[in-house]
Amino acid sequence: MTKDMWETLGIEETKDREVILNAYRNKVVTVNPEDDQEGFMKLREAYEAAIRFAENDSEKTKNSNNEIRYYDNDEVDAAVKAHIKKLEVIYNDIDKRRDSELWRDWLDDEVCKNLDSVDPMCEALLVFLMKNHCIPFKMWKMMDERFGFVGNKENLSEKFAGEYLEFVEIQCKSDDYGYYDDFSKRDIYYELFSDLIPEISVYADEKIYEAREFPYADDEYISNMMRISAYFNDYFDNYLYFKKTGEKEHKEAMDKSITFISNILERCDRAKIFTPIELGARILLLEIRENVTWHLSFQRQYLSAGKSCIITPQIMP
């Protein structure tokens, strides 16, 4: 098998798992197991042998009789569910969620690679990501390298909506700009800033922001920090138009943006994590409301526990 597996797959010898998987997928659609059982099994065995060659671990997918291991449907279902449970543990902790080594270990598990389980695992992962998608872009790229989300979009469209697959593709192709690097536990924030800044009141009497429901509490906060940037952009766009035209509708839009931001920041008080984006939003909101200027000096400290941002403010009349 080692000698002719590459001919069966129609590719040159390689240790690139993605090339092997794509070659198998291209070939398997041309073989009907009902009409050509022998050809189908030959292709399957060539794929398994090539994967073992790529991993340089010939024992990983063999049983005690030195035969290729096949899973039945119940085994696959149980293995996939158990592996998603492991992902939930990673996802539910902000430090674990951005730990690429934990993700790599999770993606290197046999259930993510074995031919019997790789497609069910891919589908289960995509279902999980529908509601749990606040993940650094580099992790999306790692998942795409393992499961081929982007390259296999046409086949996946049979089970998933096109808009969702477009979202997945954007996530997989986006550059990681370190957005998640500055998140820390909220108690660390209080220790750093409690003696440096006064309490910044950001509350609004009007409540127009409806919070989304997330399975994991941290996701609401992460999503809200992204929304705050959009609302500030909207505020300043309308501010420029209002200065130019004096039209009332732009002033109303400005006020609405500020109310949205206030509502969001009010919800942040109950969050367990923190990012300097929130502090910047509170300061900017204070400037807009109270017409004061904050002079900020930023000093980054790269601690063993991660990044933190020390901010020294001064309120100027």
Side-chain angles (χ1 to χ4, degrees), residues 222-244:
I222 293 170
S223 177
N224 282 340
M225 291 301 100
M226 295 179 179
R227 288 170 179 238
I228 277 178
S229 298
Y231 285 126
F232 268 122
N233 288 336
D234 185 65
Y235 171 86
F236 286 114
D237 284 344
N238 281 285
Y239 172 79
L240 292 175
Y241 282 116
F242 178 69
K243 292 285 287 184
K244 183 178 180 179

Side-chain angles (χ1 to χ4, degrees), residues 86-311:
K86 293 179 182 178
L87 181 58
E88 291 174 357
V89 173
I90 295 174
Y91 191 88
N92 198 29
D93 185 297
I94 190 65
D95 292 326
K96 293 179 179 178
R97 192 188 302 191
R98 60 190 176 193
D99 188 331
S100 58
E101 289 301 318
L102 288 178
W103 281 89
R104 187 171 292 108
D105 289 344
W106 188 86
L107 289 166
D108 280 342
D109 191 276
E110 184 182 353
V111 72
C112 295
K113 298 183 291 186
N114 187 278
L115 185 58
D116 289 306
S117 57
V118 63
D119 287 341
M121 187 69 248
C122 175
E123 293 173 10
L125 176 57
L126 284 170
V127 171
F128 177 84
L129 294 172
M130 284 181 179
K131 292 185 177 181
N132 309 289
H133 48 75
C134 297
I135 300 170
F137 291 131
K138 60 184 176 182
M139 310 312 182
W140 282 96
K141 292 180 186 296
M142 290 169 64
M143 290 186 285
D144 185 44
E145 289 172 1
R146 172 63 70 199
F147 294 106
F149 292 157
V150 177
N152 200 33
K153 188 166 66 172
E154 184 176 350
N155 291 332
L156 291 172
S157 65
E158 297 177 2
K159 296 187 176 181
F160 296 93
E163 290 185 359
Y164 174 56
L165 294 177
E166 290 293 335
F167 166 78
V168 170
E169 182 173 3
I170 291 172
Q171 299 299 100
C172 293
K173 291 183 175 180
S174 297
D175 293 327
D176 203 315
Y177 50 85
Y179 174 73
Y180 288 83
D181 293 348
D182 285 326
F183 283 96
S184 62
K185 298 293 170 46
R186 202 166 190 84
D187 55 357
I188 297 177
Y189 156 70
Y190 284 132
E191 289 178 9
L192 286 173
F193 301 122
S194 60
D195 296 332
L196 292 176
I197 60 174
E199 181 179 355
I200 303 174
S201 176
V202 296
Y203 308 118
D205 293 334
E206 187 180 5
K207 305 298 180 185
I208 60 176
Y209 174 72
E210 294 184 7
R212 292 173 55 193
E213 293 293 330
F214 290 90
Y216 298 92
D218 289 347
D219 284 6
E220 179 187 344
Y221 181 83
I222 293 170
S223 177
N224 282 340
M225 291 301 100
M226 295 179 179
R227 288 170 179 238
I228 277 178
S229 298
Y231 285 126
F232 268 122
N233 288 336
D234 185 65
Y235 171 86
F236 286 114
D237 284 344
N238 281 285
Y239 172 79
L240 292 175
Y241 282 116
F242 178 69
K243 292 285 287 184
K244 183 178 180 179
T245 67
E247 294 178 359
K248 182 180 178 181
E249 63 182 84
H250 293 299
K251 180 63 170 63
E252 292 174 349
M254 290 164 57
D255 293 340
K256 188 174 182 179
S257 294
I258 293 303
T259 302
F260 267 119
I261 295 169
S262 298
N263 291 170
I264 291 174
L265 289 174
E266 184 176 354
R267 292 188 64 83
C268 288
D269 289 341
R270 70 194 72 182
K272 295 182 179 180
I273 58 176
F274 167 81
T275 177
I277 294 174
E278 178 191 336
L279 183 57
R282 290 178 181 274
I283 292 171
L284 193 54
L285 194 62
L286 184 67
E287 288 183 336
I288 292 171
R289 282 181 163 181
E290 307 297 335
N291 195 28
V292 298
T293 301
W294 284 57
H295 293 272
L296 307 179
S297 62
F298 289 85
Q299 178 184 3
R300 289 195 177 278
Q301 291 184 334
Y302 292 88
L303 307 175
S304 58
K307 291 182 180 178
S308 64
C309 184
I310 296 180
I311 302 179

